[in-house]
Amino acid sequence: MNILFKSLAEPSRISFGDEGKRLSPGRDEAAKFPQNVSQEDDDAATSLLMEYSTNLPALGLPVELVNEISGAFRRIESTLPPATTTSIIAACKARDLSVTAAVHAALIVALQELSSDAYAAERYTSWGTFNYRPYVNLDHTNPATHPVAVMLSRLPITFTTSDFYENASSLKPFYKQLQDPFNSAALHAMLAAYTRKCAALINQPLPPGVPQPTEPLVDSVGILDRYLDGRYGQGAVEITNFWLGGVVLTRQPLFHVWSWQGEMTLSMCYNEQFYTSKFMGAFVESVVGVLLKELDIERE
């Protein structure tokens, strides 16, 4: 995106016709995932995937609208001012928490407050996204020399829910793993098999009687100022706002958190056939409320 804005501000002549030679390799090749997986690693991949599939149903959003066919996606957000954002970051550091883990823990508490199913509310089961880009050869991922490559994968997480700080404690090792997916040789060895099994799983219907998951999928975009310059070509192009969306066709919304120019944003993408904007707006504000309350911060 940063290169796109630079190109808009300072356009140069582009020759087309040889793009194929610059196509990036797939994730497995770039990350050097072993393709010949041992039976032990294959069994480990199955066990990892079962952590998700055997812990459903779990904590999630109550579906407001009973529709079987999805509609258009919508997005709603809450942006916190710089002073509040600074206080959140300081409070998380003082408690040895990452901001993402704290926001995620607050979201789980907000889900608990909405839940009417005591059995499901006892377990939190979802997916976390990790990014391989910092850990593979730059020749494969540098957007200046290659088209943008998809270097992402998801790992399941499941644990017994509790209060904010216990939830955050359960999330800490998970996010530590996501920050460096290559810190475990065993995980690295099984990921090719794990990915194939995930693909097979999502193409299968849920077992009879198991409802579709509805927990928001949490994903941190990070500090955007590290990736976007903001002004390009002596002000010829200037970013005045940023938002991220995704087409959501299921009952699982996408929940993104990022900061830009000192302001933290919590954003939810959802399908209008399953949730109303009023409900989603109230839920996002509930997450903000839990976060500030638990970190002992007053909203400005």
Side-chain angles (χ1 to χ4, degrees):
M1 188 181 294
N2 208 40
I3 292 176
L4 170 63
F5 289 132
K6 288 180 179 178
S7 300
L8 289 173
E10 301 172 354
S12 59
R13 185 178 180 82
I14 300 174
S15 299
F16 294 96
D18 63 347
E19 295 85 357
K21 69 180 184 181
R22 298 172 59 196
L23 290 175
S24 297
R27 182 205 62 184
D28 287 14
E29 180 181 344
K32 296 183 171 59
F33 287 162
Q35 297 300 304
N36 296 321
V37 181
S38 68
Q39 186 61 53
E40 181 181 359
D41 288 331
D42 189 81
D43 292 342
T46 300
S47 178
L48 182 63
L49 186 57
M50 293 293 281
E51 287 185 22
Y52 180 84
S53 59
T54 59
N55 281 286
L56 297 175
L59 186 63
L61 287 168
V63 177
E64 278 192 291
L65 307 175
V66 184
N67 294 307
E68 294 300 323
I69 300 176
S70 61
F73 97 92
R74 295 286 182 261
R75 192 186 71 88
I76 198 161
E77 69 177 37
S78 179
T79 298
L80 304 176
T84 304
T85 299
T86 299
S87 296
I88 291 172
I89 294 170
C92 288
K93 287 183 178 178
R95 293 162 172 79
D96 192 27
L97 290 175
S98 70
V99 173
T100 303
V103 172
H104 199 157
L107 180 140
I108 293 172
V109 172
L111 288 174
Q112 290 172 289
E113 292 175 349
L114 283 176
S115 179
S116 60
D117 185 339
Y119 175 75
E122 292 178 352
R123 288 194 310 278
Y124 179 73
T125 300
S126 191
W127 303 92
T129 303
F130 58 83
N131 177 19
Y132 291 97
R133 192 174 298 276
Y135 307 102
V136 301
N137 191 314
L138 186 62
D139 292 341
H140 295 322
T141 61
N142 185 354
T145 56
H146 282 277
V148 176
V150 177
M151 294 289 168
L152 304 174
S153 190
R154 288 189 181 272
L155 279 179
I157 179 172
T158 183
F159 58 86
T160 301
T161 57
S162 184
D163 60 19
F164 172 84
Y165 285 101
E166 286 297 322
N167 292 339
S169 179
S170 297
L171 289 164
K172 278 180 66 175
F174 182 71
Y175 277 110
K176 184 177 181 181
Q177 182 182 45
L178 295 190
Q179 289 170 1
D180 186 357
F182 292 119
N183 64 2
S184 168
L187 177 62
H188 185 71
M190 74 168 76
L191 278 174
Y194 167 78
T195 301
R196 290 193 291 268
K197 292 176 186 293
C198 280
L201 176 67
I202 63 176
N203 283 311
Q204 298 295 322
L206 287 167
V210 177
Q212 292 187 21
T214 62
E215 90 288 353
L217 298 173
V218 178
D219 198 355
S220 174
V221 185
I223 303 171
L224 290 171
D225 307 75
R226 295 176 178 174
Y227 313 113
L228 301 177
D229 295 338
R231 290 173 59 87
Y232 307 85
Q234 298 181 339
V237 174
E238 181 177 358
I239 302 175
T240 59
N241 194 12
F242 173 94
W243 61 272
L244 177 66
V247 178
V248 179
L249 300 178
T250 71
R251 293 169 171 80
Q252 280 179 299
L254 300 177
F255 185 88
H256 297 107
V257 56
W258 67 80
S259 67
W260 166 246
Q261 296 182 341
E263 296 182 332
M264 180 185 296
T265 296
L266 283 67
S267 171
M268 186 81 85
C269 297
Y270 62 96
N271 194 286
E272 67 176 6
Q273 287 292 87
F274 308 126
Y275 308 99
T276 64
S277 59
K278 181 180 179 180
F279 171 81
M280 276 302 185
F283 178 75
V284 172
E285 289 302 323
S286 176
V287 175
V288 173
V290 171
L291 180 67
L292 298 182
K293 176 185 176 183
E294 296 293 347
L295 296 180
D296 197 23
I297 297 170
E298 291 191 13
R299 187 168 187 174
E300 297 187 6

